[in-house]
C-alpha cells in the first residue's frame, strides 16, 4: 500500500494489480483484516485528488468482499460506514466511484437487511441502487424472474 502513496498513475496501477493478484492467491479474511487499518485515514473533502492509498484499498476491497465471510463484513461495517459516507462526498470522481462499487459488493454479499443505506443521502442511495441493479448477479436474477412459464397454455389462438 505504501507504494501507492503519492505515486504516478503507472506505479499505482501496477501496485493495485499486484495487490489484486496477492488477494486472489491468499486467505481473504487475512487480507481483509490487513486492509482495514488503511481505511481510518482522514479525508480532505476539498482536495480534488484522491488519497491514493485509500483509493487503492477501496478498489482492492471491491474484489475481496465476495470472498470474505458475512460475519467479518458485518463486524467491519461500523468502522467502514463513516468512511463510505465521507468518501461519497469527496470531490474526486474516482473516490466516489470506488466507494459505490464497494457498497454494491457489500450489498450483494450481505443483502438489504444487513447493509442499511438509509443514512446515505437520497441521491447517493439512488446511485448505489442503480449500480446494484446493474450488478451481474442481480441482472441474472431479474432476467430469470422475467422468463415466462411455457407450461401454461396461451389464451391467444395460434394463427398460421
Amino acid at each position: 500500500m505504501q507504494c501507492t502513496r503519492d505515486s504516478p498513475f503507472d506505479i499505482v496501477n501496477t501496485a493495485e494489480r499486484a495487490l489484486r493478484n496477492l488477494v486472489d492467491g491468499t486467505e481473504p479474511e487475512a487480507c481483509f483484516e490487513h486492509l482495514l487499518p488503511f481505511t481510518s485515514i482522514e479525508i480532505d473533502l476539498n482536495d480534488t485528488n484522491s488519497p491514493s492509498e485509500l483509493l487503492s484499498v477501496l478498489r482492492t476491497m471491491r474484489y475481496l468482499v465476495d470472498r470474505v465471510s458475512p460475519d467479518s463484513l458485518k463486524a467491519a461495517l461500523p468502522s467502514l460506514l463513516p468512511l463510505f459516507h465521507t468518501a461519497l462526498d469527496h470531490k474526486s470522481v474516482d473516490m466516489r466511484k470506488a466507494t459505490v462499487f464497494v457498497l454494491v459488493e457489500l450489498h450483494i454479499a450481505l443483502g438489504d437487511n444487513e447493509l442499511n443505506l438509509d443514512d446515505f443521502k437520497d441521491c447517493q442511495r439512488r446511485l448505489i441502487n442503480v449500480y446494484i441493479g446493474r450488478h451481474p448477479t442481480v441482472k441474472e436474477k431479474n432476467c430469470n424472474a422475467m422468463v415466462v412459464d411455457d407450461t401454461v397454455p396461451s389464451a391467444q389462438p395460434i394463427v398460421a
Side-chain angles (χ1 to χ4, degrees):
M1 294 309 306
Q2 290 176 349
C3 46
T4 64
R5 188 180 304 142
D6 301 322
S7 298
F9 173 79
D10 295 345
I11 292 174
V12 171
N13 189 37
T14 303
E16 285 178 6
R17 283 186 298 161
L19 188 56
R20 200 170 312 143
N21 288 336
L22 178 69
V23 164
D24 286 342
T26 58
E27 171 62 32
E29 299 284 333
C31 290
F32 186 70
E33 292 298 319
H34 285 342
L35 286 177
L36 288 178
F38 291 100
T39 63
S40 62
I41 66 170
E42 291 292 318
I43 300 175
D44 180 6
L45 292 178
N46 294 319
D47 187 6
T48 56
N49 296 320
S50 304
S52 53
E53 225 174 36
L54 178 58
L55 187 57
S56 294
V57 167
L58 290 172
R59 287 177 176 160
T60 303
M61 201 175 281
R62 171 187 178 190
Y63 296 103
L64 184 62
V65 165
D66 67 337
R67 297 178 49 223
V68 175
S69 74
D71 290 336
S72 294
L73 295 174
K74 289 178 205 174
L77 276 181
S79 65
L80 290 174
L81 285 175
L83 166 74
F84 296 149
H85 283 284
T86 305
L88 282 174
D89 285 333
H90 199 275
K91 289 188 186 244
S92 167
V93 173
D94 290 332
M95 181 65 72
R96 294 191 310 265
K97 188 165 83 171
T99 305
V100 166
F101 288 152
V102 171
L103 284 165
V104 167
E105 292 300 327
L106 282 168
H107 180 273
I108 299 301
L110 297 175
D112 288 331
N113 298 333
E114 296 299 329
L115 183 62
N116 187 350
L117 300 176
D118 292 343
D119 293 337
F120 291 94
K121 295 176 187 171
D122 187 46
C123 60
Q124 293 170 338
R125 266 195 323 275
R126 282 185 282 155
L127 178 66
I128 295 165
N129 285 324
V130 164
Y131 279 92
I132 288 170
R134 291 181 181 176
H135 194 275
T137 58
V138 174
K139 283 174 74 173
E140 186 177 304
K141 276 186 199 173
N142 290 342
C143 286
N144 289 339
M146 293 170 52
V147 173
V148 179
D149 187 4
D150 291 336
T151 60
V152 179
S154 175
Q156 298 289 329
I158 299 175
V159 179

